[in-house]
């Protein structure tokens, strides 16, 4: 055991430290972090101005953090330390409850919710109040709603949350999704709901919006066979079991095309190319987009559906297409409401405000 | 540049150590001076000139003071040199405070300017002041080599947050030093312990304080937890940084003075200040309190001297009446202790003396950390349950639960229990076993601290503002 005499101890620690240091200097620069779904900082430009202003130093520190060798392993070590050494209830804001990773919505952001309500009211006054449209509203609970009923966690008061939004948007018929959803309807590593569990939800929504027959098309379930690591997995840096990414489809649905108005592109409903992107969930309707139009020549009706939505609608809406001749999806986070009239004439469509509690509680 | 940063740990420090040890001995001070200026300019590229000015001023005034033999001229020169050295500190740190006081008193409307405070200015100014005072009092010869003097003032381990090193402490080492492997080992151990104190404890306690300030459900209990958390945070933050500085000093063959000695186990406020920021306390004692007459004067004069010292101690921490109040609070408490409370405290059971110290220290740090007097008053009202807050809320309970281990580890680590336990167990285990445990702990600390840095965790440093 002479190995552990003082000077050898010193040599070993210095060797470890300096090895990490040498790897830090010579490690090739990475462009992106797939697990964190973001580009990594690159070496800042060296110039007299950048150095004297301190810009270079600030950005170098960010670069050094991003490009540190074994970054993922160090993030995981920190996560384990948070949970198992310091016994924190969460790491990087993510709680581990059973198989689920979850970030609770807390506290309730009254200002954000009010901004959302104001914008939707403004939209109503601008385009919808003098029309024959049928208006519906649903709020998708965050999965923390199902996990945070114990006193051990801080969670928003959902009844107050829903009360605020429904009383301030009296023009829309509220379709309550809370009782028809359960924890199993959500991915374990992500915020979103699983499309494979959404057929009854879609049927419930179609019938609530005046399609009493519900689903007429026959779907079959396909498993993409690719591991899906959601956003909570990325944030927590904890090793976790991936979710399966499955989807309902049939030949009629596969024949539909999604028209992206802003980029003038046509994509399939399920965009296989996106399975290899940062976020495989973008597989549904190719991810975030300001305005999408889906025409359904197989529809047995002339009715149109307009959904004001966030990303949750990307996986749900393909199951609603069959009930309408045309479906338009608008994401107000990427599109100014003043531009809507350039693309849509509101007459007698079904207009559905479908937002998740997460987005409403953080509305900008 | 922060010691607790990837840039320092994995870029700057390894390069400096390698270059330092590859350099011939006669160039080692030059390496240290150049590294220190680079270290300083990393965070303050423009203010490096100010530091060079202060170094030059201290160096040349020291030489001149030594040469002048007539007392009158020496005194005049000493006053001028003190004035010149203090000028940048007064301008950058106290300029706006002085202007706002003049505006308040004289109803003037002098405009305030946004003046960024150069990092570490209070520390290096006090080192130069102490040096000049010692030269004036013929305690030692002035340094003849500006490189050595620059190395003393700007030595990066202690540049930005102390400890305040006396020239006499490292005078000999500046000329020649020969670090032993034992020094290096001790330094490495101290550095890593300091790093853990800062990153693993202070930063987490800081997170808790931030959560408290952002809470939507305050409670009396939450206020007390915040006060305790901040008291622990500032200790681990500052003592961690001091440990790192002392450890780094050993790397280069310098023995820097101890700055903290488990202050929270004190049984009186006087003892607390002998254990807290020891180099600042001893600086004020030697360069202000004793020249004012120290304890060998009448009671009233002694109390006045104490209040002057503690007024200045408060002011040293920041240009704000809150810091001054904080300093005077300690001045009064120490005065009361000297007037007889000390005798009474000795008759108290130990736990009561500890409680007395902890309550005043915790309440003192609430004042210290408040943004303004209104916030301090509000904090005190809520701590005493005079606000309209509930005793406990869900949020308080949740965060109490979440941070309970952090609090426990921090409280445990702020006492000498671990050190005593190690000493007690050392003879009972084989030296190899002890070495393995020590080695594993140090490696674990290095990797774990790195993991918190890499994850971009909350990483402020409280004493930078001084």
């Amino acid at each position: 055991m002479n190995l552990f005499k003082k000077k050898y101890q010193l040599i070993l620690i210095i060797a470890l430290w300096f090895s990490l240091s040498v790897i830090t200097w010579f490690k090739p620069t990475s462009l992106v972090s797939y697990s964190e779904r973001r580009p990594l900082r690159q070496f800042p430009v060296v110039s007299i101005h950048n150095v004297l202003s301190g810009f270079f130093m600030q950005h170098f520190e960010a670069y050094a953090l991003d490009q540190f060798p074994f970054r993922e392993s160090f993030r995981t070590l920190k996560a384990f330390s948070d949970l198992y050494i310091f016994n924190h209830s969460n790491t990087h804001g993510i709680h581990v409850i059973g198989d689920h990773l979850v970030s609770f919505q807390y506290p309730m952001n009254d200002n954000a919710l009010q901004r959302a309500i104001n914008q939707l009211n403004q939209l109503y006054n601008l385009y919808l109040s003098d029309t024959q449209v049928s208006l519906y509203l649903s709020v998708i609970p965050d999965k923390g709603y199902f996990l945070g009923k114990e006193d051990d966690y801080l969670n928003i008061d959902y009844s107050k949350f829903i009360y605020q939004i429904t009383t301030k948007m009296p023009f829309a018929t509220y379709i309550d999704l809370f009782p028809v959803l359960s924890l199993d309807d959500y991915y374990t590593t992500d915020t979103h709901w699983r499309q494979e569990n959404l057929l009854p939800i879609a049927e419930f929504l179609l019938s609530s919006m005046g399609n009493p027959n519900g689903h007429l098309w026959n779907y079959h379930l396909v498993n993409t066979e690719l591991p899906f690591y959601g956003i909570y997995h990325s944030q927590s840096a904890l090793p976790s079991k991936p979710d399966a990414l499955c989807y309902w489809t049939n030949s009629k649905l596969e024949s539909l095309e999604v028209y992206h108005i802003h980029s003038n592109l046509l994509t399939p409903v399920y965009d296989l190319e996106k399975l290899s992107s940062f976020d495989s969930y973008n597989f549904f309707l190719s991810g975030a987009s300001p305005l999408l139009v889906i025409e359904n020549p197989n529809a047995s009706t002339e009715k149109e559906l307009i959904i004001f939505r966030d990303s949750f609608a990307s996986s749900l809406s393909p199951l609603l297409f069959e009930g309408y001749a045309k479906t338009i999806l608008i994401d107000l986070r990427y599109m100014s409401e003043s531009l809507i009239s350039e693309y849509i004439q509101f007459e007698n469509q079904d207009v559905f405000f479908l937002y998740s509690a997460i987005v409403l509680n953080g509305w900008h | 540049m922060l010691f607790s940063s990837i840039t320092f740990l994995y870029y700057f420090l390894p390069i400096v150590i390698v270059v330092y040890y590859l350099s011939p001995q006669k160039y080692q001070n030059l390496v240290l001076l150049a590294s220190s200026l680079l270290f300083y300019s990393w965070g303050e590229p423009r203010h490096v000139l100010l530091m060079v000015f202060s170094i030059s001023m201290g160096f040349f005034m020291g030489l001149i003071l030594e040469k002048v033999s007539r007392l009158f001229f020496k005194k005049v020169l000493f006053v001028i040199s003190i004035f010149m050295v203090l000028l940048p500190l007064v301008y950058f740190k106290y300029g706006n405070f002085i202007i706002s006081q003049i505006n308040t008193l004289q109803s003037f409307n002098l405009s305030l300017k946004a003046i960024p405070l150069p990092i570490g200015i209070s520390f290096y100014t006090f080192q130069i002041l102490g040096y000049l005072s010692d030269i004036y009092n013929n305690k030692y010869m002035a340094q003849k080599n500006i490189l050595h003097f620059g190395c003393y003032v700007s030595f990066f381990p202690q540049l930005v947050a102390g400890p305040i090193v006396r020239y006499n402490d490292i005078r000999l080492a500046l000329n020649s030093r020969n670090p032993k492997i034992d020094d290096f080992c001790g330094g490495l151990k101290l550095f890593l312990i300091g790093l853990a104190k800062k990153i693993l404890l202070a930063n987490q306690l800081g997170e808790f304080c931030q959560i408290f300030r952002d809470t939507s459900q305050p409670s009396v209990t939450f206020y007390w937890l915040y006060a305790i958390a901040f008291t622990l945070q500032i200790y681990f933050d500052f003592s961690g940084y001091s440990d790192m500085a002392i450890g780094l000093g050993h790397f280069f063959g310098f023995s820097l003075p101890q700055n903290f000695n488990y202050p929270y186990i004190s049984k009186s406020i006087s003892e607390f200040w002998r254990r807290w920021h020891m180099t600042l306390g001893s600086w004020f004692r030697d360069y202000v309190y004793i020249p004012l007459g120290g304890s060998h004067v009448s009671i009233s004069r002694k109390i006045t001297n104490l209040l002057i010292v503690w007024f200045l101690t408060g002011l040293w921490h920041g240009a704000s009446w809150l810091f001054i109040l904080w300093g005077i609070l300690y001045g009064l408490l120490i005065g009361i202790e000297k007037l007889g409370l000390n005798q009474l405290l000795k008759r108290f059971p130990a736990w009561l003396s500890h409680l007395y110290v902890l309550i005043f220290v915790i309440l003192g740090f609430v004042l210290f950390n408040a943004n303004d007097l209104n916030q301090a008053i509000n904090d005190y009202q809520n701590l005493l349950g005079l606000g309209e807050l509930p005793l406990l809320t869900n949020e308080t309970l949740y965060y109490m639960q979440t941070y309970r281990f952090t609090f426990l580890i921090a409280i445990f680590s702020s006492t000498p229990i671990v050190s005593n336990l190690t000493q007690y167990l050392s003879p009972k285990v084989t030296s190899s076993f002890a070495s393995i445990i020590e080695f594993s702990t140090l490696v674990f600390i290095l990797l774990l601290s790195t993991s918190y840095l890499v994850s971009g965790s909350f990483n402020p440093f409280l004493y930078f503002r001084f």
Side-chain angles (χ1 to χ4, degrees):
Chain A
M1 296 307 280
N2 285 339
L3 184 69
F4 284 97
K5 291 288 183 199
K6 253 181 189 169
K7 69 176 175 185
Y8 293 112
Q9 208 185 73
L10 173 75
I11 289 167
L12 283 173
I13 297 174
I14 293 285
L16 171 73
W17 188 342
F18 279 38
S19 305
L20 264 176
S21 183
V22 169
I23 299 171
T24 306
W25 303 332
F26 296 109
K27 176 185 156 290
T29 309
S30 309
L31 290 174
V32 291
S33 162
Y34 284 96
S35 69
E36 292 172 83
R37 304 173 176 196
R38 66 179 181 89
L40 296 173
R41 297 280 192 133
Q42 302 301 300
F43 194 85
V45 176
V46 186
S47 70
I48 292 173
H49 175 262
N50 280 356
V51 170
L52 288 180
S53 65
F55 175 92
F56 175 81
M57 291 78 158
Q58 277 175 18
H59 285 251
F60 183 86
E61 185 63 36
Y63 156 82
L65 286 177
D66 271 11
Q67 299 293 344
F68 198 76
F70 316 114
R71 180 178 158 73
E72 287 313 309
S73 308
F74 277 113
R75 289 185 69 233
T76 303
L77 177 62
K78 193 254 181 191
F80 276 118
S81 164
D82 279 346
L83 294 178
Y84 305 114
I85 296 178
F86 291 101
N87 222 302
H88 287 186
S89 61
N90 65 78
T91 177
H92 304 111
I94 307 296
H95 294 74
V96 184
I97 306 174
D99 289 338
H100 277 272
L101 300 176
V102 61
S103 168
F104 287 101
Q105 291 300 299
Y106 187 84
M108 183 167 150
N109 187 339
D110 291 303
N111 292 335
L113 185 58
Q114 193 54 52
R115 278 196 295 275
I117 292 167
N118 289 347
Q119 191 168 0
L120 297 179
N121 270 279
Q122 203 175 334
L123 191 76
Y124 172 75
N125 293 327
L126 199 61
Y127 298 119
L128 306 168
S129 57
D130 295 328
T131 64
Q132 300 299 311
V133 296
S134 304
L135 291 152
Y136 303 96
L137 163 72
S138 279
V139 175
I140 304 161
D142 167 55
K143 72 174 172 182
Y145 169 75
F146 304 100
L147 286 164
K149 289 183 176 171
E150 305 296 326
D151 289 339
D152 291 345
Y153 308 102
L154 293 173
N155 213 347
I156 58 173
D157 181 345
Y158 278 93
S159 53
K160 189 177 158 197
F161 192 83
I162 298 301
Y163 177 78
Q164 280 219 32
I165 194 161
T166 50
T167 50
K168 289 175 180 171
M169 290 179 65
F171 47 82
T173 304
Y174 179 63
I175 305 172
D176 191 359
L177 292 178
F178 282 62
V180 292
L181 283 167
S182 72
L183 182 61
D184 293 337
D185 298 328
Y186 294 80
Y187 295 113
T188 55
T189 63
D190 197 53
T191 53
H192 292 106
W193 49 14
R194 298 170 180 273
Q195 201 209 37
E196 66 263 35
N197 285 17
L198 295 185
L199 266 183
I201 310 297
E203 196 163 340
F204 169 68
L205 286 170
L206 282 173
S207 65
S208 302
M209 292 191 288
N211 285 281
N213 295 328
H215 282 299
L216 296 172
W217 290 2
N218 289 318
Y219 298 93
H220 59 271
L221 191 64
V222 179
N223 188 336
T224 58
E225 303 292 347
L226 287 170
F228 171 48
Y229 291 102
I231 185 77
Y232 291 148
H233 166 82
S234 314
Q235 281 177 22
S236 71
L238 287 166
S240 44
K241 216 173 110 187
D243 285 293
L245 195 64
C246 302
Y247 59 103
W248 291 107
T249 189
N250 60 33
S251 56
K252 288 176 183 167
L253 194 55
E254 281 169 13
S255 70
L256 301 184
E257 288 184 310
V258 180
Y259 178 47
H260 299 247
I261 285 193
H262 70 292
S263 54
N264 202 24
L265 277 176
L266 284 171
T267 58
V269 171
Y270 299 120
D271 192 343
L272 292 170
E273 283 182 15
K274 297 287 182 185
L275 285 176
S276 54
S277 67
F278 278 151
D279 186 356
S280 310
Y281 184 80
N282 289 342
F283 162 75
F284 298 105
L285 300 184
S286 306
S289 189
L291 202 151
L292 301 175
V293 179
I294 300 97
E295 299 208 12
N296 174 15
N298 304 310
S300 54
T301 172
E302 292 299 308
K303 280 181 76 176
E304 293 181 5
L305 172 66
I306 298 165
I307 307 178
F308 289 93
R309 58 99 179 205
D310 56 32
S311 57
F312 280 72
S314 297
S315 53
L316 172 76
S317 59
L319 307 177
L320 303 177
F321 292 161
E322 62 167 290
Y324 295 91
K326 187 181 192 180
T327 303
I328 299 173
L329 292 107
I330 302 169
D331 195 332
L332 290 171
R333 293 173 298 173
Y334 306 106
M335 181 177 187
S336 163
E337 65 213 21
S338 60
L339 297 175
I340 292 174
S341 58
E342 291 180 23
Y343 305 103
I344 303 166
Q345 187 69 41
F346 290 97
E347 289 166 342
N348 57 358
Q349 302 97 327
D350 285 348
V351 175
F352 187 20
F353 298 104
L354 176 63
Y355 283 105
S356 63
I358 299 173
V359 167
L360 290 171
N361 201 42
W363 197 278
H364 290 290
Chain B
M1 200 184 298
L2 280 171
F3 293 164
S4 53
S5 69
I6 293 292
T7 311
F8 181 82
L9 288 174
Y10 291 100
Y11 288 87
F12 180 83
L13 186 59
I15 295 175
V16 172
I17 290 176
V18 169
V19 173
Y20 177 84
Y21 279 101
L22 288 180
S23 304
Q25 206 168 11
K26 62 178 177 176
Y27 295 123
Q28 286 183 336
N29 277 357
L30 181 64
V31 171
L32 283 183
L33 179 62
S35 320
S36 298
L37 293 179
L38 175 66
F39 174 87
Y40 193 74
S41 59
W42 189 263
E44 302 272 333
R46 290 170 198 274
H47 288 148
V48 76
L49 291 176
L50 182 71
M51 196 174 65
V52 170
F53 167 80
S54 295
I55 290 171
S56 311
M57 186 58 61
F59 176 73
F60 288 113
M61 293 313 276
L63 285 180
I64 297 168
L65 270 175
E66 191 185 50
K67 292 271 181 247
V68 176
S69 50
R70 286 185 62 183
L71 192 61
F72 174 74
F73 288 122
K74 200 168 186 174
K75 262 188 186 168
V76 171
L77 258 175
F78 180 58
V79 171
I80 291 171
S81 62
I82 295 298
F83 176 79
M84 295 296 284
V85 171
L86 275 175
L87 198 62
L89 180 70
V90 172
Y91 174 76
F92 284 97
K93 190 164 180 175
Y94 302 106
N96 275 336
F97 179 67
I98 294 168
I99 288 172
S100 62
Q101 299 315 306
I102 293 171
N103 284 346
T104 310
L105 290 175
Q106 299 294 330
S107 305
F108 288 154
N109 198 17
L110 301 174
S111 61
L112 302 176
K113 286 183 180 169
I115 306 171
L117 181 68
I119 291 172
I121 190 169
S122 308
F123 289 95
Y124 70 72
T125 301
F126 269 44
Q127 290 195 174
I128 298 172
L129 286 177
Y131 168 77
L132 291 174
S133 173
D134 289 346
I135 298 294
Y136 172 74
N137 289 312
N138 299 317
K139 288 193 178 165
Y140 42 73
M141 304 286 283
Q143 173 59 255
K144 305 293 185 299
N145 185 333
I146 194 165
L147 192 70
H148 290 194
F149 186 73
C151 186
Y152 157 63
V153 175
S154 68
F155 186 42
F156 72 86
Q158 46 84 55
L159 175 60
V160 293
I164 298 171
V165 181
R166 309 281 184 91
Y167 175 71
N168 207 27
D169 292 339
I170 61 167
R171 182 165 53 96
L172 297 176
L174 278 170
N175 293 326
S176 164
R177 53 195 176 273
N178 188 18
K180 304 274 185 308
I181 196 106
D182 267 3
D183 294 334
F184 211 100
C185 284
L188 182 67
K189 191 173 151 186
L190 206 52
F191 180 81
L192 290 175
I193 288 172
L195 190 68
K197 278 181 170 180
K198 166 73 186 122
I199 295 175
L200 304 180
L201 293 175
N203 286 358
Q204 293 201 46
L205 292 158
E207 262 175 21
F208 182 89
C209 293
Q210 193 58 50
I211 288 168
F212 162 79
R213 284 288 175 216
D214 295 339
T215 184
S216 56
Q217 289 184 8
S219 68
V220 175
T221 312
F222 215 161
Y223 267 88
W224 276 103
L225 289 173
Y226 151 72
I228 295 167
F230 182 72
T231 303
L232 290 166
Q233 182 201 356
I234 196 164
Y235 167 67
F236 286 110
D237 198 88
F238 194 17
S239 75
Y241 214 87
S242 290
D243 288 349
M244 284 189 269
I246 298 166
L248 286 171
H250 284 303
F251 287 3
F252 303 105
F254 290 97
S255 184
L256 305 186
Q258 188 184 6
N259 215 15
F260 289 86
N261 183 21
Y262 302 109
Y264 296 152
I265 62 163
S266 305
K267 290 183 187 170
S268 69
I269 296 295
S270 313
E271 186 189 350
F272 172 79
W273 274 99
R274 286 194 298 273
R275 290 170 175 273
W276 177 277
H277 203 171
M278 294 150 75
T279 55
L280 181 72
S282 65
W283 194 97
F284 272 111
R285 183 195 62 216
D286 293 345
Y287 296 110
V288 181
Y289 185 65
I290 290 174
L292 284 172
S295 300
H296 307 293
V297 286
S298 65
I299 290 284
S300 61
R301 180 68 207 213
K302 195 154 86 176
I303 298 298
T304 311
N305 290 349
L306 264 179
L307 289 178
I308 290 171
V309 166
W310 287 98
F311 171 88
L312 291 174
T313 304
L315 194 64
W316 180 89
H317 282 85
S320 143
W321 283 107
L322 284 181
F323 288 121
I324 294 171
L325 273 176
W326 178 75
I328 288 176
L329 166 77
Y330 284 113
L332 286 173
L333 286 168
I334 290 171
I336 293 168
E337 284 181 2
K338 282 190 189 295
L339 288 175
L341 185 61
N342 263 341
Q343 297 307 314
L344 202 63
L345 285 170
K346 282 176 188 158
R347 281 185 240 149
F348 281 2
W351 66 267
L352 200 58
S353 305
H354 288 308
L355 190 67
Y356 148 75
V357 172
L358 285 176
I359 285 178
F360 277 105
V361 168
I362 289 170
L363 293 178
F365 278 130
V366 169
L367 185 66
F368 187 93
N369 198 38
N371 290 328
D372 53 45
L373 197 58
N374 285 338
Q375 191 183 53
I377 292 168
N378 183 55
D379 287 352
Y380 283 133
Q381 278 179 340
N382 289 319
L383 280 166
L384 299 173
L386 301 175
E388 290 177 350
L389 296 181
L391 187 63
L392 207 58
T393 59
N394 279 345
E395 226 176 275
T396 310
L397 265 175
Y398 173 77
Y399 287 115
M400 210 156 91
Q401 177 102 347
T402 293
Y403 282 88
R404 66 192 189 283
F405 274 76
T406 309
F407 272 91
L408 280 176
I409 295 170
I411 290 169
F412 190 67
S413 307
S414 68
T415 69
I417 293 173
V418 180
S419 164
N420 292 345
L421 202 66
T422 313
Q423 277 178 12
Y424 173 75
L425 290 176
S426 289
K428 298 185 190 309
V429 295
T430 60
S431 66
S432 299
F433 181 73
S435 292
I436 292 170
I437 295 290
E438 189 179 82
F439 170 76
S440 316
T441 309
L442 294 177
V443 168
F444 185 65
I445 284 175
L446 175 65
L447 295 179
L448 197 60
S449 301
T450 302
S451 76
Y452 275 76
L453 288 177
V454 168
S455 299
S457 304
F458 188 77
N459 190 15
F461 180 57
L462 299 178
Y463 259 72
F464 257 16
R465 58 178 159 158
F466 307 126

